[in-house]
Amino acid sequence: MKKFFQIVAVCFSGCLILAGCNNGSNSSTVENSGPQRDTVIIKLMAFTPDTLTVNKGDTVVWINQDIVAHDVSHFPDRAWHSDTLNPQNVFVKVIDDSSSYFCSIHPTMRATVLLKK
Amino acid sequence: MKRMRKSMNWLAVTVALILFVPAAKAQSQNPLSDPEIASVAVTANQIDVDYGQLALKKSHNADIRKFAETMISDHKNIIQQAAALAQRLHVTPKTNAMTQSLLNGETTTMKTLKAKSGTAFDKAYAQNEAAYHEAVVGAVKTKLIPETQNAELKGLLQSVVPLLEHHTMMAKELASKF
Ligand SMILES: [Cu+2]
């Protein structure tokens, strides 16, 4: 099980690196060529960035780099939510709508994903 | 609400006194060594695990139980990291006056909490959590971090501050429901 997570983590960091390179080359060529991938870091009891603006259909990856477990839950009703993310675990979601979200384990942790207009 | 705030303040002052009077005394005598700071850090976290376990034993309130579970899990996590770091740095936690005063505070608070039940327990537990975390944040910021020599130990303490601050806010929010 642990191995599975390690593999998942490695895959994701690979994807992230690719996504990073992609963004770099995109800026010099065509803009908005398909869905983008954005990252939110969970660290020191905060989601960073706390407001992320994306295009509809973009993928957001949350990475828990903190020292305790967190989750990512739609605010306020948890209409969608991740599992408990232990340190180093990730959550991936395709964004179709603007929404506020929070950590249901630490409800004072809040952030927002906004769709570009 | 006003009365509530008043009693919260009173509790905070009491806890602050329990924690800080001996701490201030120790500070004026001599700063804590890293092994002593490691002992204080582990003890302060363990005490909140103990309060959480008491809450799980005594409370039937879903919000209280969820909060207590988070406290147990978060503080156990920190103890683990502190212990692992201490081992790696070959620092053996050393009991000292501040550890002892924390433990004395725990004994007193446990007695008060154990005497209560139902909503009275839930309210007292939540208020104590707010006051205890606030006092510990204060001690970590003004005493433990400044007196820590080892950079990694200092770093761990610094990374724990936002967690303690969120626990304080969560506890205040919880207490306001009673
Ligand atoms: Cu959290």
Side-chain angles (χ1 to χ4, degrees):
Chain A
M1 195 60 191
K2 198 163 189 189
K3 192 138 203 185
F4 171 76
F5 277 118
Q6 276 168 358
I7 291 167
V8 169
V10 167
C11 287
F12 274 120
S13 33
C15 295
L16 288 173
I17 291 162
L18 287 176
C21 297
N22 232 356
N23 281 343
S25 56
N26 271 356
S27 61
S28 61
T29 53
V30 191
E31 262 188 45
N32 293 335
S33 57
Q36 301 288 305
R37 185 180 282 270
D38 291 286
T39 307
V40 175
I41 301 295
I42 312 173
K43 200 176 182 178
L44 295 173
M45 301 300 285
F47 298 102
T48 308
D50 64 354
T51 302
L52 179 69
T53 310
V54 303
N55 288 304
K56 192 180 168 86
D58 283 359
T59 298
V60 177
V61 181
W62 282 264
I63 308 174
N64 183 6
Q65 292 184 355
D66 212 346
I67 52 177
V68 294
H70 296 290
D71 68 23
V72 181
S73 301
H74 176 260
F75 181 83
D77 58 7
R78 301 196 81 211
W80 53 263
H81 61 86
S82 71
D83 290 336
T84 296
L85 302 176
N86 285 315
Q88 302 313 317
N89 284 8
V90 298
F91 172 58
V92 182
K93 182 174 165 53
V94 175
I95 304 300
D96 294 316
D97 240 325
S98 292
S99 84
S100 290
Y101 64 91
F102 73 121
C103 168
S104 75
I105 301 168
H106 309 101
T108 45
M109 292 172 63
R110 300 242 183 109
T112 312
V113 179
L114 289 179
L115 287 191
K116 260 177 218 163
K117 277 176 195 162
Chain B
M1 190 60 200
K2 203 160 195 184
R3 204 184 58 197
M4 162 88 197
R5 189 159 289 161
K6 212 169 191 180
S7 71
M8 287 270 293
N9 284 343
W10 180 83
L11 243 173
V13 168
T14 312
V15 174
L17 280 177
I18 292 168
L19 276 175
F20 288 129
V21 170
K25 228 188 244 164
Q27 195 167 22
S28 66
Q29 286 162 7
N30 42 18
L32 295 174
S33 65
D34 283 4
E36 289 173 329
I37 287 167
S39 161
V40 168
V42 169
T43 305
N45 281 287
Q46 184 57 47
I47 288 172
D48 205 55
V49 172
D50 297 345
Y51 290 152
Q53 272 157 356
L54 179 70
L56 289 187
K57 232 183 263 170
K58 290 193 69 119
S59 178
H60 300 287
N61 179 289
D63 291 336
I64 293 282
R65 297 184 64 87
K66 184 165 179 271
F67 177 87
E69 268 162 12
T70 300
M71 292 306 114
I72 292 168
S73 148
D74 284 0
H75 287 288
K76 270 190 178 168
N77 208 321
I78 305 224
I79 292 171
Q80 249 171 24
Q81 299 198 28
L85 180 61
Q87 197 174 21
R88 196 156 56 76
L89 299 174
H90 304 292
V91 166
T92 309
K94 186 167 176 258
T95 312
N96 56 87
M98 195 168 169
T99 316
Q100 200 48 55
S101 104
L102 280 166
L103 290 172
N104 293 344
E106 179 186 23
T107 307
T108 310
T109 304
M110 277 291 192
K111 221 177 265 173
T112 314
L113 289 177
K114 280 179 180 166
K116 294 180 192 293
S117 59
T119 314
F121 171 84
D122 295 343
K123 183 177 172 174
Y125 169 71
Q127 288 181 347
N128 180 62
E129 282 299 289
Y132 180 71
H133 278 93
E134 206 157 42
V136 171
V137 171
V140 169
K141 276 180 169 169
T142 63
K143 180 156 176 73
L144 300 192
I145 291 173
E147 292 180 4
T148 302
Q149 297 299 312
N150 181 275
E152 281 184 85
L153 183 56
K154 202 187 270 273
L156 178 62
L157 290 171
Q158 279 162 340
S159 71
V160 169
V161 168
L163 181 73
L164 295 174
E165 284 172 342
H166 274 269
H167 285 181
T168 307
M169 288 188 276
M170 288 159 61
K172 283 182 179 174
E173 223 168 277
L174 186 65
S176 74
K177 292 179 183 169
F178 294 94

